[in-house]
PDB file of all heavy atoms in Angstrom:
ATOM      1  N   LEU A  18      -4.951  -3.324  38.617  1.00  0.00           N
ATOM      2  CA  LEU A  18      -6.255  -3.332  37.960  1.00  0.00           C
ATOM      3  C   LEU A  18      -6.230  -4.059  36.617  1.00  0.00           C
ATOM      4  O   LEU A  18      -7.259  -4.131  35.936  1.00  0.00           O
ATOM      5  CB  LEU A  18      -6.751  -1.896  37.754  1.00  0.00           C
ATOM      6  CG  LEU A  18      -6.981  -1.073  39.040  1.00  0.00           C
ATOM      7  CD1 LEU A  18      -7.453   0.331  38.696  1.00  0.00           C
ATOM      8  CD2 LEU A  18      -7.984  -1.776  39.954  1.00  0.00           C
ATOM      9  N   TYR A  19      -5.079  -4.596  36.246  1.00  0.00           N
ATOM     10  CA  TYR A  19      -4.983  -5.336  34.986  1.00  0.00           C
ATOM     11  C   TYR A  19      -5.757  -6.645  35.130  1.00  0.00           C
ATOM     12  O   TYR A  19      -5.502  -7.427  36.044  1.00  0.00           O
ATOM     13  CB  TYR A  19      -3.516  -5.616  34.661  1.00  0.00           C
ATOM     14  CG  TYR A  19      -3.301  -6.332  33.345  1.00  0.00           C
ATOM     15  CD1 TYR A  19      -3.235  -5.625  32.152  1.00  0.00           C
ATOM     16  CD2 TYR A  19      -3.174  -7.718  33.294  1.00  0.00           C
ATOM     17  CE1 TYR A  19      -3.035  -6.277  30.942  1.00  0.00           C
ATOM     18  CE2 TYR A  19      -2.973  -8.378  32.100  1.00  0.00           C
ATOM     19  CZ  TYR A  19      -2.903  -7.655  30.925  1.00  0.00           C
ATOM     20  OH  TYR A  19      -2.705  -8.311  29.727  1.00  0.00           O
ATOM     21  N   ASN A  20      -6.688  -6.905  34.219  1.00  0.00           N
ATOM     22  CA  ASN A  20      -7.545  -8.080  34.386  1.00  0.00           C
ATOM     23  C   ASN A  20      -7.670  -8.923  33.123  1.00  0.00           C
ATOM     24  O   ASN A  20      -8.602  -9.703  32.974  1.00  0.00           O
ATOM     25  CB  ASN A  20      -8.950  -7.651  34.851  1.00  0.00           C
ATOM     26  CG  ASN A  20      -9.555  -6.587  33.938  1.00  0.00           C
ATOM     27  OD1 ASN A  20      -9.058  -6.356  32.833  1.00  0.00           O
ATOM     28  ND2 ASN A  20     -10.621  -5.949  34.401  1.00  0.00           N
ATOM     29  N   GLU A  21      -6.727  -8.770  32.176  1.00  0.00           N
ATOM     30  CA  GLU A  21      -6.771  -9.604  30.981  1.00  0.00           C
ATOM     31  C   GLU A  21      -6.240 -11.001  31.305  1.00  0.00           C
ATOM     32  O   GLU A  21      -5.540 -11.206  32.291  1.00  0.00           O
ATOM     33  CB  GLU A  21      -5.924  -8.980  29.862  1.00  0.00           C
ATOM     34  CG  GLU A  21      -6.472  -7.658  29.345  1.00  0.00           C
ATOM     35  CD  GLU A  21      -5.644  -7.116  28.190  1.00  0.00           C
ATOM     36  OE1 GLU A  21      -4.844  -7.867  27.624  1.00  0.00           O
ATOM     37  OE2 GLU A  21      -5.792  -5.927  27.877  1.00  0.00           O
ATOM     38  N   ALA A  22      -6.572 -11.958  30.454  1.00  0.00           N
ATOM     39  CA  ALA A  22      -6.090 -13.333  30.638  1.00  0.00           C
ATOM     40  C   ALA A  22      -4.573 -13.360  30.538  1.00  0.00           C
ATOM     41  O   ALA A  22      -3.941 -12.463  29.977  1.00  0.00           O
ATOM     42  CB  ALA A  22      -6.710 -14.247  29.586  1.00  0.00           C
ATOM     43  N   GLU A  23      -3.978 -14.438  31.045  1.00  0.00           N
ATOM     44  CA  GLU A  23      -2.521 -14.506  31.185  1.00  0.00           C
ATOM     45  C   GLU A  23      -1.782 -14.274  29.877  1.00  0.00           C
ATOM     46  O   GLU A  23      -0.781 -13.586  29.829  1.00  0.00           O
ATOM     47  CB  GLU A  23      -2.116 -15.865  31.780  1.00  0.00           C
ATOM     48  CG  GLU A  23      -0.623 -15.985  31.999  1.00  0.00           C
ATOM     49  CD  GLU A  23      -0.265 -17.190  32.829  1.00  0.00           C
ATOM     50  OE1 GLU A  23      -1.164 -17.784  33.469  1.00  0.00           O
ATOM     51  OE2 GLU A  23       0.923 -17.551  32.836  1.00  0.00           O
ATOM     52  N   GLY A  24      -2.276 -14.845  28.795  1.00  0.00           N
ATOM     53  CA  GLY A  24      -1.541 -14.734  27.540  1.00  0.00           C
ATOM     54  C   GLY A  24      -1.925 -13.543  26.684  1.00  0.00           C
ATOM     55  O   GLY A  24      -1.354 -13.357  25.607  1.00  0.00           O
ATOM     56  N   ALA A  25      -2.868 -12.723  27.161  1.00  0.00           N
ATOM     57  CA  ALA A  25      -3.398 -11.652  26.303  1.00  0.00           C
ATOM     58  C   ALA A  25      -2.339 -10.622  25.948  1.00  0.00           C
ATOM     59  O   ALA A  25      -2.166 -10.276  24.774  1.00  0.00           O
ATOM     60  CB  ALA A  25      -4.583 -10.981  26.992  1.00  0.00           C
ATOM     61  N   LEU A  26      -1.638 -10.110  26.951  1.00  0.00           N
ATOM     62  CA  LEU A  26      -0.655  -9.076  26.660  1.00  0.00           C
ATOM     63  C   LEU A  26       0.520  -9.634  25.868  1.00  0.00           C
ATOM     64  O   LEU A  26       0.992  -9.012  24.921  1.00  0.00           O
ATOM     65  CB  LEU A  26      -0.142  -8.424  27.935  1.00  0.00           C
ATOM     66  CG  LEU A  26       0.937  -7.378  27.657  1.00  0.00           C
ATOM     67  CD1 LEU A  26       0.357  -6.172  26.942  1.00  0.00           C
ATOM     68  CD2 LEU A  26       1.670  -6.955  28.896  1.00  0.00           C
ATOM     69  N   VAL A  27       0.997 -10.826  26.253  1.00  0.00           N
ATOM     70  CA  VAL A  27       2.096 -11.434  25.501  1.00  0.00           C
ATOM     71  C   VAL A  27       1.693 -11.607  24.048  1.00  0.00           C
ATOM     72  O   VAL A  27       2.486 -11.371  23.131  1.00  0.00           O
ATOM     73  CB  VAL A  27       2.503 -12.782  26.123  1.00  0.00           C
ATOM     74  CG1 VAL A  27       3.557 -13.469  25.258  1.00  0.00           C
ATOM     75  CG2 VAL A  27       3.047 -12.566  27.535  1.00  0.00           C
ATOM     76  N   GLY A  28       0.441 -11.980  23.823  1.00  0.00           N
ATOM     77  CA  GLY A  28      -0.059 -12.092  22.454  1.00  0.00           C
ATOM     78  C   GLY A  28      -0.014 -10.766  21.732  1.00  0.00           C
ATOM     79  O   GLY A  28       0.365 -10.701  20.559  1.00  0.00           O
ATOM     80  N   ARG A  29      -0.386  -9.679  22.427  1.00  0.00           N
ATOM     81  CA  ARG A  29      -0.327  -8.342  21.818  1.00  0.00           C
ATOM     82  C   ARG A  29       1.103  -7.985  21.454  1.00  0.00           C
ATOM     83  O   ARG A  29       1.373  -7.438  20.380  1.00  0.00           O
ATOM     84  CB  ARG A  29      -0.885  -7.299  22.786  1.00  0.00           C
ATOM     85  CG  ARG A  29      -2.406  -7.288  22.910  1.00  0.00           C
ATOM     86  CD  ARG A  29      -2.848  -6.429  24.077  1.00  0.00           C
ATOM     87  NE  ARG A  29      -2.447  -5.036  23.925  1.00  0.00           N
ATOM     88  CZ  ARG A  29      -2.489  -4.141  24.917  1.00  0.00           C
ATOM     89  NH1 ARG A  29      -2.892  -4.517  26.128  1.00  0.00           N
ATOM     90  NH2 ARG A  29      -2.126  -2.907  24.721  1.00  0.00           N
ATOM     91  N   LEU A  30       2.047  -8.292  22.345  1.00  0.00           N
ATOM     92  CA  LEU A  30       3.446  -7.964  22.085  1.00  0.00           C
ATOM     93  C   LEU A  30       4.003  -8.800  20.940  1.00  0.00           C
ATOM     94  O   LEU A  30       4.775  -8.312  20.115  1.00  0.00           O
ATOM     95  CB  LEU A  30       4.280  -8.171  23.351  1.00  0.00           C
ATOM     96  CG  LEU A  30       3.906  -7.286  24.553  1.00  0.00           C
ATOM     97  CD1 LEU A  30       4.805  -7.600  25.742  1.00  0.00           C
ATOM     98  CD2 LEU A  30       3.976  -5.807  24.197  1.00  0.00           C
ATOM     99  N   ARG A  31       3.608 -10.065  20.875  1.00  0.00           N
ATOM    100  CA  ARG A  31       4.098 -10.935  19.805  1.00  0.00           C
ATOM    101  C   ARG A  31       3.528 -10.531  18.450  1.00  0.00           C
ATOM    102  O   ARG A  31       4.121 -10.820  17.412  1.00  0.00           O
ATOM    103  CB  ARG A  31       3.748 -12.393  20.097  1.00  0.00           C
ATOM    104  CG  ARG A  31       4.607 -13.030  21.172  1.00  0.00           C
ATOM    105  CD  ARG A  31       4.379 -14.521  21.273  1.00  0.00           C
ATOM    106  NE  ARG A  31       4.813 -15.228  20.065  1.00  0.00           N
ATOM    107  CZ  ARG A  31       4.812 -16.550  19.939  1.00  0.00           C
ATOM    108  NH1 ARG A  31       4.381 -17.308  20.939  1.00  0.00           N
ATOM    109  NH2 ARG A  31       5.215 -17.119  18.821  1.00  0.00           N
ATOM    110  N   ARG A  32       2.382  -9.869  18.467  1.00  0.00           N
ATOM    111  CA  ARG A  32       1.769  -9.458  17.196  1.00  0.00           C
ATOM    112  C   ARG A  32       2.293  -8.126  16.675  1.00  0.00           C
ATOM    113  O   ARG A  32       1.897  -7.689  15.594  1.00  0.00           O
ATOM    114  CB  ARG A  32       0.242  -9.392  17.354  1.00  0.00           C
ATOM    115  CG  ARG A  32      -0.425 -10.764  17.439  1.00  0.00           C
ATOM    116  CD  ARG A  32      -1.930 -10.660  17.288  1.00  0.00           C
ATOM    117  NE  ARG A  32      -2.536  -9.917  18.375  1.00  0.00           N
ATOM    118  CZ  ARG A  32      -2.934 -10.458  19.528  1.00  0.00           C
ATOM    119  NH1 ARG A  32      -2.747 -11.763  19.735  1.00  0.00           N
ATOM    120  NH2 ARG A  32      -3.507  -9.723  20.451  1.00  0.00           N
ATOM    121  N   LEU A  33       3.190  -7.500  17.418  1.00  0.00           N
ATOM    122  CA  LEU A  33       3.810  -6.280  16.895  1.00  0.00           C
ATOM    123  C   LEU A  33       4.584  -6.627  15.632  1.00  0.00           C
ATOM    124  O   LEU A  33       5.155  -7.708  15.514  1.00  0.00           O
ATOM    125  CB  LEU A  33       4.756  -5.676  17.939  1.00  0.00           C
ATOM    126  CG  LEU A  33       4.111  -5.142  19.222  1.00  0.00           C
ATOM    127  CD1 LEU A  33       5.179  -4.683  20.202  1.00  0.00           C
ATOM    128  CD2 LEU A  33       3.145  -3.999  18.918  1.00  0.00           C
ATOM    129  N   SER A  34       4.612  -5.718  14.682  1.00  0.00           N
ATOM    130  CA  SER A  34       5.254  -6.008  13.403  1.00  0.00           C
ATOM    131  C   SER A  34       6.751  -6.230  13.595  1.00  0.00           C
ATOM    132  O   SER A  34       7.400  -5.547  14.387  1.00  0.00           O
ATOM    133  CB  SER A  34       5.007  -4.869  12.411  1.00  0.00           C
ATOM    134  OG  SER A  34       5.464  -3.638  12.941  1.00  0.00           O
ATOM    135  N   ALA A  35       7.284  -7.198  12.871  1.00  0.00           N
ATOM    136  CA  ALA A  35       8.701  -7.569  12.990  1.00  0.00           C
ATOM    137  C   ALA A  35       9.544  -6.644  12.121  1.00  0.00           C
ATOM    138  O   ALA A  35      10.178  -7.062  11.147  1.00  0.00           O
ATOM    139  CB  ALA A  35       8.892  -9.030  12.597  1.00  0.00           C
ATOM    140  N   ASP A  36       9.548  -5.367  12.491  1.00  0.00           N
ATOM    141  CA  ASP A  36      10.333  -4.364  11.770  1.00  0.00           C
ATOM    142  C   ASP A  36      10.605  -3.212  12.723  1.00  0.00           C
ATOM    143  O   ASP A  36      10.283  -3.282  13.918  1.00  0.00           O
ATOM    144  CB  ASP A  36       9.601  -3.894  10.509  1.00  0.00           C
ATOM    145  CG  ASP A  36       8.192  -3.382  10.784  1.00  0.00           C
ATOM    146  OD1 ASP A  36       7.911  -2.977  11.939  1.00  0.00           O
ATOM    147  OD2 ASP A  36       7.354  -3.386   9.855  1.00  0.00           O
ATOM    148  N   ILE A  37      11.182  -2.141  12.222  1.00  0.00           N
ATOM    149  CA  ILE A  37      11.557  -1.024  13.080  1.00  0.00           C
ATOM    150  C   ILE A  37      10.329  -0.366  13.712  1.00  0.00           C
ATOM    151  O   ILE A  37      10.395   0.159  14.833  1.00  0.00           O
ATOM    152  CB  ILE A  37      12.395   0.002  12.282  1.00  0.00           C
ATOM    153  CG1 ILE A  37      12.988   1.059  13.226  1.00  0.00           C
ATOM    154  CG2 ILE A  37      11.575   0.652  11.171  1.00  0.00           C
ATOM    155  CD1 ILE A  37      13.971   1.988  12.546  1.00  0.00           C
ATOM    156  N   TYR A  38       9.176  -0.433  13.038  1.00  0.00           N
ATOM    157  CA  TYR A  38       7.959   0.155  13.599  1.00  0.00           C
ATOM    158  C   TYR A  38       7.464  -0.651  14.798  1.00  0.00           C
ATOM    159  O   TYR A  38       7.021  -0.083  15.801  1.00  0.00           O
ATOM    160  CB  TYR A  38       6.881   0.255  12.519  1.00  0.00           C
ATOM    161  CG  TYR A  38       7.264   1.201  11.399  1.00  0.00           C
ATOM    162  CD1 TYR A  38       7.873   0.728  10.241  1.00  0.00           C
ATOM    163  CD2 TYR A  38       7.035   2.565  11.519  1.00  0.00           C
ATOM    164  CE1 TYR A  38       8.245   1.596   9.222  1.00  0.00           C
ATOM    165  CE2 TYR A  38       7.401   3.445  10.504  1.00  0.00           C
ATOM    166  CZ  TYR A  38       8.012   2.951   9.358  1.00  0.00           C
ATOM    167  OH  TYR A  38       8.384   3.815   8.365  1.00  0.00           O
ATOM    168  N   GLY A  39       7.557  -1.979  14.708  1.00  0.00           N
ATOM    169  CA  GLY A  39       7.196  -2.811  15.846  1.00  0.00           C
ATOM    170  C   GLY A  39       8.141  -2.598  17.013  1.00  0.00           C
ATOM    171  O   GLY A  39       7.736  -2.595  18.181  1.00  0.00           O
ATOM    172  N   ASN A  40       9.422  -2.404  16.700  1.00  0.00           N
ATOM    173  CA  ASN A  40      10.408  -2.138  17.739  1.00  0.00           C
ATOM    174  C   ASN A  40      10.117  -0.805  18.435  1.00  0.00           C
ATOM    175  O   ASN A  40      10.242  -0.685  19.658  1.00  0.00           O
ATOM    176  CB  ASN A  40      11.802  -2.132  17.113  1.00  0.00           C
ATOM    177  CG  ASN A  40      12.916  -2.009  18.131  1.00  0.00           C
ATOM    178  OD1 ASN A  40      13.583  -0.985  18.191  1.00  0.00           O
ATOM    179  ND2 ASN A  40      13.144  -3.041  18.913  1.00  0.00           N
ATOM    180  N   ARG A  41       9.703   0.197  17.656  1.00  0.00           N
ATOM    181  CA  ARG A  41       9.326   1.489  18.255  1.00  0.00           C
ATOM    182  C   ARG A  41       8.110   1.322  19.159  1.00  0.00           C
ATOM    183  O   ARG A  41       8.063   1.880  20.265  1.00  0.00           O
ATOM    184  CB  ARG A  41       9.034   2.516  17.164  1.00  0.00           C
ATOM    185  CG  ARG A  41       8.653   3.884  17.713  1.00  0.00           C
ATOM    186  CD  ARG A  41       8.377   4.891  16.597  1.00  0.00           C
ATOM    187  NE  ARG A  41       7.251   4.487  15.753  1.00  0.00           N
ATOM    188  CZ  ARG A  41       6.792   5.216  14.745  1.00  0.00           C
ATOM    189  NH1 ARG A  41       7.367   6.374  14.446  1.00  0.00           N
ATOM    190  NH2 ARG A  41       5.775   4.794  14.010  1.00  0.00           N
ATOM    191  N   ASP A  42       7.134   0.539  18.713  1.00  0.00           N
ATOM    192  CA  ASP A  42       5.957   0.295  19.545  1.00  0.00           C
ATOM    193  C   ASP A  42       6.343  -0.431  20.834  1.00  0.00           C
ATOM    194  O   ASP A  42       5.806  -0.149  21.908  1.00  0.00           O
ATOM    195  CB  ASP A  42       4.925  -0.530  18.770  1.00  0.00           C
ATOM    196  CG  ASP A  42       4.322   0.235  17.599  1.00  0.00           C
ATOM    197  OD1 ASP A  42       4.411   1.478  17.590  1.00  0.00           O
ATOM    198  OD2 ASP A  42       3.781  -0.419  16.682  1.00  0.00           O
ATOM    199  N   MET A  43       7.293  -1.374  20.714  1.00  0.00           N
ATOM    200  CA  MET A  43       7.730  -2.114  21.894  1.00  0.00           C
ATOM    201  C   MET A  43       8.426  -1.188  22.882  1.00  0.00           C
ATOM    202  O   MET A  43       8.237  -1.307  24.096  1.00  0.00           O
ATOM    203  CB  MET A  43       8.677  -3.243  21.474  1.00  0.00           C
ATOM    204  CG  MET A  43       9.094  -4.143  22.626  1.00  0.00           C
ATOM    205  SD  MET A  43       7.715  -5.155  23.225  1.00  0.00           S
ATOM    206  CE  MET A  43       8.289  -5.513  24.895  1.00  0.00           C
ATOM    207  N   LEU A  44       9.221  -0.244  22.382  1.00  0.00           N
ATOM    208  CA  LEU A  44       9.881   0.697  23.282  1.00  0.00           C
ATOM    209  C   LEU A  44       8.853   1.560  24.013  1.00  0.00           C
ATOM    210  O   LEU A  44       9.059   1.922  25.178  1.00  0.00           O
ATOM    211  CB  LEU A  44      10.856   1.576  22.500  1.00  0.00           C
ATOM    212  CG  LEU A  44      11.735   2.508  23.344  1.00  0.00           C
ATOM    213  CD1 LEU A  44      12.570   1.716  24.340  1.00  0.00           C
ATOM    214  CD2 LEU A  44      12.630   3.367  22.464  1.00  0.00           C
ATOM    215  N   THR A  45       7.752   1.858  23.344  1.00  0.00           N
ATOM    216  CA  THR A  45       6.666   2.575  24.018  1.00  0.00           C
ATOM    217  C   THR A  45       6.162   1.779  25.213  1.00  0.00           C
ATOM    218  O   THR A  45       5.944   2.332  26.300  1.00  0.00           O
ATOM    219  CB  THR A  45       5.509   2.838  23.030  1.00  0.00           C
ATOM    220  OG1 THR A  45       5.986   3.642  21.951  1.00  0.00           O
ATOM    221  CG2 THR A  45       4.352   3.555  23.717  1.00  0.00           C
ATOM    222  N   PHE A  46       5.986   0.463  25.030  1.00  0.00           N
ATOM    223  CA  PHE A  46       5.583  -0.390  26.153  1.00  0.00           C
ATOM    224  C   PHE A  46       6.650  -0.419  27.236  1.00  0.00           C
ATOM    225  O   PHE A  46       6.345  -0.332  28.428  1.00  0.00           O
ATOM    226  CB  PHE A  46       5.309  -1.816  25.660  1.00  0.00           C
ATOM    227  CG  PHE A  46       3.956  -2.018  25.043  1.00  0.00           C
ATOM    228  CD1 PHE A  46       3.804  -2.064  23.669  1.00  0.00           C
ATOM    229  CD2 PHE A  46       2.838  -2.159  25.839  1.00  0.00           C
ATOM    230  CE1 PHE A  46       2.550  -2.251  23.097  1.00  0.00           C
ATOM    231  CE2 PHE A  46       1.577  -2.344  25.276  1.00  0.00           C
ATOM    232  CZ  PHE A  46       1.434  -2.395  23.902  1.00  0.00           C
ATOM    233  N   LEU A  47       7.928  -0.556  26.836  1.00  0.00           N
ATOM    234  CA  LEU A  47       9.014  -0.643  27.816  1.00  0.00           C
ATOM    235  C   LEU A  47       9.140   0.639  28.631  1.00  0.00           C
ATOM    236  O   LEU A  47       9.612   0.614  29.770  1.00  0.00           O
ATOM    237  CB  LEU A  47      10.338  -0.942  27.113  1.00  0.00           C
ATOM    238  CG  LEU A  47      10.493  -2.353  26.529  1.00  0.00           C
ATOM    239  CD1 LEU A  47      11.789  -2.464  25.737  1.00  0.00           C
ATOM    240  CD2 LEU A  47      10.464  -3.403  27.628  1.00  0.00           C
ATOM    241  N   ARG A  48       8.717   1.759  28.037  1.00  0.00           N
ATOM    242  CA  ARG A  48       8.759   3.031  28.762  1.00  0.00           C
ATOM    243  C   ARG A  48       7.461   3.316  29.514  1.00  0.00           C
ATOM    244  O   ARG A  48       7.191   4.437  29.930  1.00  0.00           O
ATOM    245  CB  ARG A  48       9.086   4.166  27.782  1.00  0.00           C
ATOM    246  CG  ARG A  48      10.529   4.107  27.320  1.00  0.00           C
ATOM    247  CD  ARG A  48      10.878   5.145  26.291  1.00  0.00           C
ATOM    248  NE  ARG A  48      12.312   5.157  26.044  1.00  0.00           N
ATOM    249  CZ  ARG A  48      12.908   5.810  25.064  1.00  0.00           C
ATOM    250  NH1 ARG A  48      12.176   6.525  24.203  1.00  0.00           N
ATOM    251  NH2 ARG A  48      14.207   5.768  24.917  1.00  0.00           N
ATOM    252  N   ASN A  49       6.635   2.268  29.639  1.00  0.00           N
ATOM    253  CA  ASN A  49       5.398   2.330  30.421  1.00  0.00           C
ATOM    254  C   ASN A  49       4.384   3.308  29.855  1.00  0.00           C
ATOM    255  O   ASN A  49       3.567   3.878  30.583  1.00  0.00           O
ATOM    256  CB  ASN A  49       5.704   2.679  31.890  1.00  0.00           C
ATOM    257  CG  ASN A  49       6.624   1.668  32.538  1.00  0.00           C
ATOM    258  OD1 ASN A  49       6.635   0.493  32.165  1.00  0.00           O
ATOM    259  ND2 ASN A  49       7.405   2.095  33.509  1.00  0.00           N
ATOM    260  N   ASN A  50       4.432   3.489  28.526  1.00  0.00           N
ATOM    261  CA  ASN A  50       3.458   4.343  27.854  1.00  0.00           C
ATOM    262  C   ASN A  50       2.427   3.537  27.071  1.00  0.00           C
ATOM    263  O   ASN A  50       1.608   4.116  26.351  1.00  0.00           O
ATOM    264  CB  ASN A  50       4.165   5.323  26.922  1.00  0.00           C
ATOM    265  CG  ASN A  50       5.018   6.330  27.677  1.00  0.00           C
ATOM    266  OD1 ASN A  50       4.613   6.815  28.735  1.00  0.00           O
ATOM    267  ND2 ASN A  50       6.212   6.611  27.173  1.00  0.00           N
TER     268      ASN A  50
END
């Protein structure tokens, strides 16, 4: 059911802050949360 444009999610991931907080947010994505 995912219907965003091809680069939308990658853009969201690239905009995560380049610090430990962004890394924590990324782990949330990697754990499918």
Side-chain angles (χ1 to χ4, degrees):
L18 298 179
Y19 182 85
N20 53 14
E21 294 183 15
E23 182 169 345
L26 177 68
V27 175
R29 284 169 61 193
L30 298 180
R31 285 189 66 175
R32 287 192 296 272
L33 294 175
S34 57
D36 54 23
I37 189 172
Y38 296 94
N40 186 249
R41 181 180 62 178
D42 293 341
M43 185 70 203
L44 187 58
T45 299
F46 279 102
L47 289 174
R48 289 176 172 169
N49 301 331
N50 294 320

